[in-house]
Amino acid sequence: MNASNPSTPRERLRQWWASPPRTGLRRILSPWEYRHLRLSAGLRIGGAVALTTLGVITLGFGGGTGEAFAWSLVFLLPAAANLATALWELSIAGSAAA
């Protein structure tokens, strides 16, 4: 019997994280997220739209005060990060399909 039987939790975690095999920065993504790239990218885009909406509403009702700008940045910066990550995931999905 040559089947591998990882005995420690660390070995089991390493084996789980290595499937499916990925290279480079793709290792940052969790295995579930890597298997469902288009779904997770869509969820990130939806979150970015919701956060952008909240940022615009905050800025619109807050007036031109510095506090309103600060609170709108609290929403807009994660929205930009979500959108950038979603575009990165979609580019990975596109290159894997080709």
Side-chain angles (χ1 to χ4, degrees):
M1 292 199 185
N2 292 333
S4 65
N5 187 9
S7 58
T8 65
R10 185 175 186 175
E11 290 174 0
R12 285 193 300 266
L13 178 65
R14 189 173 291 164
Q15 185 179 14
W16 173 77
W17 197 264
S19 66
R22 305 179 304 270
T23 58
L25 284 176
R26 296 175 184 177
R27 291 182 185 172
I28 294 173
L29 300 172
S30 71
W32 184 91
E33 192 173 3
Y34 187 74
R35 289 185 194 107
H36 304 94
L37 280 172
R38 294 193 198 302
L39 173 67
S40 61
L43 291 173
R44 286 184 189 275
I45 290 172
V49 168
L51 286 169
T52 303
T53 303
L54 289 173
V56 169
I57 288 172
T58 303
L59 198 56
F61 284 115
T65 64
E67 188 177 358
F69 283 116
W71 275 106
S72 65
L73 281 179
V74 167
F75 295 117
L76 294 176
L77 290 178
N82 269 344
L83 190 60
T85 306
L87 293 176
W88 177 57
E89 288 176 345
L90 288 175
S91 71
I92 292 172
S95 67

